[in-house]
Amino acid sequence: MSSLVGSPISRVDGPAKVTGRATYAAEFHPDGLTYAAIVESSISAGSISHIDSTLAERAPGVLMVLTFLNAPKLPYGPYKQRPAVEPVSGEALRVLQDAEIKFSGQPIGVVVAQTQTQAEYAASLVRVRYVPAKSLTHFDSDRSVPTSEAAAKKGRGPEARQGGDADEAFHQAAVKIDAHYVQPREHHNAMEPHATVAEWKDGQLTIWDKTQWVDNVREEMVRIFGISADSVRVINPFVGGAFGSSLRTWPHVTLAVMASRQVGRPVRLELTRRQLYYSTGFRPHTEQRVALGAQHEGHLQAHIQEAIGQTSTYEEFAEATLDAPAVTYACENRRTSYRLVPMNTNTPCPMRGPGHATGLFAQEVAMDELAALLKLDPIQLRLRNFAERSPKKDLPWSSNALQDCYRIGAERFGWERRTPEPRSMRAGRQLVGLGMATAVNTAPRYPASASATLLADGTVVVRSATSDMGPGTYTAMTQVAADTLGLPLPRVRFELGDSTFPKAEEHGGSTTTASIGPAVREACVALLAKISNMLGLSALFAPDLQDKIKLAGFSQIEAHSDSKPGEEKNRYAMYSFGAIFAEVHVDPDFGTVRVTRISGAYDAGRIVNPKLARSQCIGGMIGGLGMALLEGAEWDTRLGRVANANLAEYLVPVCADIGELDVVFVPGEDKLLSPLGVKGLAELGLCGVAPAIANAVWHATGVRVRELPITPDKLIVYL
């Protein structure tokens, strides 16, 4: 049998999704289900002086209205260990526990009714008076503060230095650029809104929740409600897109669980599109300064990158904005600085390529600017500063094929036809530009567990409490299991999304295949060994397998495995790499930008499923196009609210915006990172796309736009 790992197999869960048989969180319907709606704060800071729910309680179908006046006081116990998906410090919103208002849109009440319409109508009847306080709704860099010691322990400290005095080296450099870059606040806008169905029954709590980490939801409910882990089960077999927004357990989950316990019936709480902008996180507004100094031949002498990000007043969200700048290029003198501006807003959260995409935008546009000053090809500048070892900790790479990405990507894209001068290429009246950028993202591996069970009918069920928000976990893990067992795909079923399954860490950060894959393989190896001992079989292809199982008196045979990284994680720098190329056409009369082509060459180790991997990369390209040209929250500083909190005015790419997308994977594997040889890919797909497009726009127009998104008004005045 040829290897299933590496084959472009279609999604095993595809038929269930396209026929509507896949069940998402809001679609579970326990008996007696009721419906909830949130009452939100209309001010950004202060306290509630009076709240009147009388009219809401009298409305048709209403079963209960909960506010801080009558909601149960919850323990909100301390963390045994703060989950990796939580902000590095601060305290999560304690929902309905007091009268304090921390941000506009904060949940201040929940209505439970017989129907969704009744609940939403009743929620509109709750009357609230406030005592406003001074609110911090402006992103004011003068108010920025250094990140905390807790952030520093996660590698996100206020300052880091490599080599000598970067500022002095910059001052002495022969050629230099010093510029300011702005990444606006962005929101996820996944197809599936966040939703939770909660049911208490006979002392047991069952939660169906849109989450990327069922175990974390369970642990959070244990901590918040002071109940035992054995009494909580969290289920989530399908996720309709998340990309970081479902890593945390947001306040609406607590509200649903609280409401269900108080009303004595199951409760469904689904956020509206508008509420997604306040009740879950977002990519934070970030402003950066990049100063690069180089010798005339292009070798970097100084790299200074200073970032100021947005966070809430009650939690410290510090992301890896400066990780990519610390590792991408060789430079003898480097200084990075990271500060935060606390604001009266809900807390940001990871969003595809968190931190890395933001840091790379500033860095890669700055590198393009430096290449122009040096009159060097942008690829040549990057090759001359290729890092043979990771500069951050002076460690060898577990693998690094970035130079091959540049070469192969340039050949496929046709980079050689690029003329160096801006405004030198045209297609009819359209200005044509070609741009490129480096993509870099961490490639971690987490501990994971899995089980493999041979059933009496000869099929094998493999389980792990991981998730699948779209990258193809179901399919990739089925391939790994079937390949290990020597079985055809139809005889293997992979199950996930249940906290009763073997433990797994978060489904995020491009960690799943590298983490769950080895656990699945080891569980299958253990199952084969157990079957051999118990049934005397060396393979599962015996024609009388079912008879042998029955004769042996077994209804099933199960094996379990735990897998985790070893010391290699401390001895090597583990990253995935890529080179992104973009072609744009710009209308000189209107300043409109059309991305006609994007091409990416990726170093992601062994590719388990090329079809699904390509899908991840083109999805990242589309997200990067949105980041470059369309996306951005319009923040109302008077109200502390997102003015375009809807899919009509918050612009995202649609099919008509997309040109040709080309993906190639550089051959290789990384056995140091993972026994499967794989490296993280999904986050990498978005990294580098926005700066490649921004650099292409400069090449087409001669206009350097350093604030995203690149909208016509930022170009037309110069054209």
Side-chain angles (χ1 to χ4, degrees):
M1 179 186 294
S2 61
S3 176
L4 291 169
V5 172
S7 299
I9 293 166
S10 297
R11 295 175 185 267
V12 297
D13 53 322
K17 289 180 175 178
V18 299
T19 59
R21 290 185 287 110
T23 307
Y24 295 82
E27 297 175 320
F28 285 92
H29 202 288
D31 291 341
L33 183 65
T34 61
Y35 300 84
I38 293 175
V39 182
E40 304 171 43
S41 163
S42 61
I43 67 168
S44 56
S47 61
I48 299 171
S49 62
H50 180 76
I51 187 164
D52 184 357
S53 59
T54 304
L55 291 176
E57 291 165 356
R58 294 173 180 171
V62 171
L63 302 173
M64 179 177 291
V65 180
L66 288 173
T67 69
F68 78 95
L69 295 175
N70 63 339
K73 300 306 176 187
L74 303 177
Y76 278 93
Y79 290 109
K80 294 178 181 177
Q81 180 178 351
R82 187 180 286 264
V85 298
E86 292 291 313
V88 293
S89 68
E91 187 175 274
L93 185 71
R94 297 193 172 197
V95 66
L96 305 191
Q97 298 300 289
D98 56 43
E100 184 180 1
I101 302 299
K102 301 177 187 294
F103 60 90
S104 187
Q106 175 181 324
I108 58 173
V110 61
V111 177
V112 181
Q114 299 284 6
T115 70
Q116 189 66 49
T117 301
Q118 290 171 338
E120 291 174 3
Y121 171 67
S124 72
L125 300 177
V126 177
R127 300 291 178 254
V128 187
R129 292 200 298 268
Y130 305 95
V131 178
K134 180 181 178 181
S135 60
L136 305 172
T137 54
H138 289 265
F139 185 91
D140 183 357
S141 58
D142 290 337
R143 288 197 302 102
S144 66
V145 296
T147 56
S148 67
E149 183 178 343
K153 288 180 179 178
K154 295 192 71 172
R156 301 168 189 182
E159 187 168 88
R161 295 176 182 268
Q162 296 172 16
D165 187 331
D167 295 277
E168 179 60 24
F170 176 74
H171 179 70
Q172 297 294 334
V175 181
K176 48 195 168 188
I177 67 102
D178 192 341
H180 184 257
Y181 305 87
V182 179
Q183 162 66 59
R185 173 173 173 154
E186 293 180 349
H187 289 264
H188 298 78
N189 288 300
M191 289 186 293
E192 178 197 12
H194 286 249
T196 303
V197 175
E199 179 184 35
W200 293 83
K201 191 173 184 179
D202 300 326
Q204 295 291 309
L205 171 62
T206 302
I207 303 170
W208 296 269
D209 182 53
K210 177 183 175 172
T211 178
Q212 294 167 244
W213 194 4
V214 290
D215 286 330
N216 187 55
V217 175
R218 180 182 61 183
E219 293 306 313
E220 280 293 276
M221 294 303 101
V222 167
R223 183 183 69 85
I224 292 170
F225 285 87
I227 54 182
S228 70
D230 292 342
S231 66
V232 185
R233 182 184 182 188
V234 182
I235 301 170
N236 187 40
F238 295 98
V239 182
F243 309 107
S245 68
S246 294
L247 287 169
R248 291 193 71 183
T249 303
W250 297 107
H252 72 271
V253 181
T254 303
L255 283 176
V257 173
M258 178 194 296
S260 176
R261 185 161 70 172
Q262 295 303 110
V263 81
R265 289 171 61 179
V267 169
R268 187 187 82 171
L269 178 51
E270 183 175 17
L271 300 179
T272 66
R273 278 285 164 195
R274 186 174 63 82
Q275 287 171 341
L276 293 174
Y277 289 74
Y278 305 104
S279 293
T280 65
F282 53 92
R283 193 191 303 277
H285 179 99
T286 304
E287 301 186 3
Q288 298 179 77
R289 175 205 174 205
V290 180
L292 299 177
Q295 299 171 348
H296 285 294
E297 70 273 17
H299 289 103
L300 287 172
Q301 291 179 295
H303 180 178
I304 300 167
Q305 192 151 338
E306 301 166 345
I308 303 176
Q310 173 185 36
T311 190
S312 66
T313 58
Y314 57 97
E315 290 180 299
E316 180 190 26
F317 179 76
E319 62 180 359
T321 306
L322 297 173
D323 184 63
V327 302
T328 311
Y329 302 114
C331 182
E332 293 183 358
N333 307 287
R334 181 181 279 110
R335 177 176 64 81
T336 58
S337 170
Y338 188 29
R339 300 173 68 88
L340 297 171
V341 178
M343 295 175 61
N344 285 111
T345 178
N346 51 316
T347 304
C349 76
M351 182 173 176
R352 180 118 300 190
H356 287 82
T358 302
L360 280 168
F361 163 65
Q363 172 185 277
E364 291 302 296
V365 174
M367 285 291 284
D368 199 70
E369 297 193 51
L370 181 62
L373 280 177
L374 291 165
K375 298 189 182 305
L376 267 180
D377 182 276
I379 297 178
Q380 287 303 313
L381 176 63
R382 288 163 172 82
L383 286 171
R384 289 183 187 183
N385 292 282
F386 175 76
E388 297 289 348
R389 293 167 63 90
S390 170
K392 188 174 184 179
K393 294 184 179 179
D394 190 29
L395 292 174
W397 304 108
S398 60
S399 64
N400 185 336
L402 179 56
Q403 291 170 307
D404 290 333
C405 292
Y406 291 141
R407 176 180 55 81
I408 294 171
E411 290 173 358
R412 287 177 68 97
F413 184 72
W415 183 256
E416 74 282 352
R417 75 183 183 89
R418 179 184 186 266
T419 55
E421 291 300 316
R423 298 181 72 99
S424 61
M425 298 179 70
R426 286 183 179 262
R429 281 189 45 76
Q430 299 286 304
L431 301 170
V432 175
L434 307 183
M436 61 83 56
T438 302
V440 180
N441 202 78
T442 51
R445 177 187 170 199
Y446 293 155
S449 301
S451 66
T453 306
L454 174 64
L455 303 181
D457 63 1
T459 62
V460 176
V461 177
V462 181
R463 289 173 169 166
S464 183
T466 185
S467 181
D468 189 345
M469 61 174 166
T473 309
Y474 276 110
T475 308
M477 293 305 103
T478 302
Q479 287 177 255
V480 171
D483 198 70
T484 307
L485 294 166
L487 292 176
L489 284 177
R491 281 186 58 187
V492 177
R493 184 171 75 251
F494 183 68
E495 297 181 351
L496 53 71
D498 191 322
S499 62
T500 63
F501 293 170
K503 190 175 179 61
E505 298 296 313
E506 69 265 27
H507 174 57
S510 298
T511 63
T512 302
T513 303
S515 303
I516 307 299
V520 166
R521 189 177 73 168
E522 291 174 22
C524 291
V525 169
L527 178 64
L528 286 173
K530 201 168 185 178
I531 291 168
S532 177
N533 290 333
M534 298 174 73
L535 301 180
L537 296 175
S538 59
L540 297 180
F541 269 112
D544 57 347
L545 175 63
Q546 294 184 44
D547 293 335
K548 286 182 178 292
I549 294 172
K550 292 177 182 177
L551 284 172
F554 298 115
S555 59
Q556 61 183 40
I557 301 173
E558 181 175 345
H560 184 280
S561 179
D562 300 315
S563 177
K564 64 181 180 180
E567 276 303 306
E568 70 278 357
K569 68 180 185 298
N570 299 318
R571 294 189 285 113
Y572 294 90
M574 298 176 173
Y575 285 80
S576 298
F577 301 93
I580 313 302
F581 299 82
E583 177 179 319
V584 301
H585 290 192
V586 182
D587 189 308
D589 296 320
F590 298 99
T592 52
V593 179
R594 168 81 175 163
V595 179
T596 55
R597 289 194 299 145
I598 304 176
S599 182
Y602 300 97
D603 164 27
R606 187 184 188 191
I607 304 300
V608 172
N609 186 315
K611 180 185 287 189
L612 298 183
R614 179 182 181 275
S615 177
Q616 284 297 287
C617 291
I618 65 173
M621 290 174 176
I622 294 167
L625 185 153
M627 185 178 182
L629 302 182
L630 298 168
E631 294 190 55
E634 296 295 335
W635 181 252
D636 188 330
T637 57
R638 301 165 305 159
L639 302 176
R641 296 184 76 88
V642 178
N644 59 335
N646 56 73
L647 280 180
E649 297 168 301
Y650 185 99
L651 302 181
V652 296
V654 297
C655 290
D657 297 310
I658 310 305
E660 177 186 340
L661 303 178
D662 176 59
V663 174
V664 61
F665 298 108
V666 174
E669 61 179 13
D670 192 332
K671 288 293 185 71
L672 290 169
L673 192 156
S674 163
L676 291 180
V678 304
K679 296 200 288 187
L681 176 63
E683 312 278 4
L684 184 70
L686 185 138
C687 293
V689 177
I693 293 172
N695 294 338
V697 169
W698 171 80
H699 183 239
T701 65
V703 180
R704 186 68 73 178
V705 181
R706 302 185 180 95
E707 179 176 357
L708 297 180
I710 303 171
T711 47
D713 58 294
K714 295 172 183 171
L715 292 174
I716 192 66
V717 294
Y718 302 104
L719 297 177

